[in-house]
Amino acid sequence: MDRVDFLRRVPLFKDLGATDLEQLAKAIRPQSFPPETNIVEIGETGHSLFLVLEGTVQVLYPARSADFELARLTEGDFFGEMAILNSLPRSATVRSVDSVKVMVLEKVDFQNILAKSPSVAASLLETLSLRIRNVDEQISDLSDKAMRDPLTGLLNRRAFHERLAEEGDRAKRYGDHFALILLDVDRFKSVNDNFGHAIGDEVLRWIGRV
């Protein structure tokens, strides 16, 4: 594929003129990755912006048991921009799902484009705003799930101990008192024995809602 034609199809560069596109096309270089390969890794120093030419990549954030997928990117999408904008270590890992071809744009060339083209800067800002909002919502949801029992939705043992410590500290700080209410479900074993664990789970969910 002609590099200029490809760049015209990238939303980030849609407002660039022919001369700027030609210069940008000279600056990018192609690179290929086999399936399930980490193209960039969280924590490493970022020097490049990647434009997806073919294939699909997944943006991953480390969670407790496995990497949590924040997004999937395909042809015309880009990644790696945050690390070259703020010079901080990369905040996520990007892994190829299938065979992937990318165009790589080095930091200095990308920054030159931003300096010369307000439209590219505005488009980048819009994309980053949407991505940050989406990632913030997903990570908040992930953190909430880590603190709640999946059956009842109630806070789990870890969250209980954290809240207990918080309330204890609050009571000491303000010289106040707080109450801890313990709830026991009488003869719950007989529910499981007589009606099965599925009904027992429904009872627990109902108690959780109450």
Side-chain angles (χ1 to χ4, degrees):
M1 180 188 296
D2 180 83
R3 294 186 185 185
V4 174
D5 288 339
F6 167 68
L7 290 172
R8 283 198 183 99
R9 294 163 57 183
V10 177
L12 183 61
F13 303 123
K14 60 182 172 55
D15 294 326
L16 283 183
T19 301
D20 287 333
L21 283 174
E22 289 285 353
Q23 292 179 349
L24 186 57
K26 293 176 182 177
I28 60 178
R29 57 181 172 83
Q31 193 169 353
S32 298
F33 297 91
E36 299 183 4
T37 301
N38 287 353
I39 301 173
V40 303
E41 294 195 36
I42 189 170
E44 69 181 12
T45 303
H47 301 289
S48 308
L49 175 76
F50 297 84
L51 308 167
V52 182
L53 180 60
E54 294 179 13
T56 303
V57 301
Q58 51 184 174
V59 183
L60 303 169
Y61 185 80
R64 293 178 184 278
S65 57
D67 288 337
F68 180 70
E69 183 176 300
L70 296 174
R72 288 203 174 204
L73 307 176
T74 56
E75 180 184 336
D77 289 324
F78 62 92
F79 60 91
E81 71 287 342
M82 289 297 291
I84 62 178
L85 286 174
N86 57 27
S87 299
L88 295 175
R90 295 201 184 276
S91 56
T93 293
V94 180
R95 182 177 302 155
S96 57
V97 175
D98 46 18
S99 295
V100 169
K101 292 182 180 179
V102 298
M103 292 292 186
V104 185
L105 182 63
E106 296 304 322
K107 178 177 182 176
V108 63
D109 296 308
F110 182 53
Q111 290 181 334
N112 286 338
I113 289 292
L114 289 179
K116 293 196 307 182
S117 177
S119 64
V120 172
S123 179
L124 177 64
L125 184 61
E126 180 181 3
T127 301
L128 289 179
S129 176
L130 292 173
R131 286 186 180 180
I132 290 171
R133 179 182 299 177
N134 181 56
V135 168
D136 183 59
E137 289 175 353
Q138 292 190 64
I139 291 178
S140 295
D141 184 56
L142 181 65
S143 299
D144 187 60
K145 287 179 178 177
M147 300 292 281
R148 292 189 178 275
D149 171 61
L151 177 64
T152 63
L154 297 175
L155 294 175
N156 60 21
R157 180 191 296 261
R158 175 189 169 196
F160 165 75
H161 284 292
E162 289 184 3
R163 286 298 306 276
L164 185 62
E166 289 175 4
E167 293 302 325
D169 289 341
R170 196 190 326 274
K172 290 177 183 177
R173 185 163 63 249
Y174 296 109
D176 205 350
H177 301 84
F178 70 95
L180 178 63
I181 301 174
L182 303 180
L183 176 67
D184 188 23
V185 184
D186 292 337
R187 298 181 295 279
F188 179 69
K189 183 177 183 300
S190 65
V191 175
N192 283 330
D193 291 344
N194 294 324
F195 302 102
H197 288 278
I199 298 299
D201 286 350
E202 281 301 317
V203 171
L204 291 177
R205 290 191 188 97
W206 180 82
I207 293 171
R209 289 194 295 270
V210 171

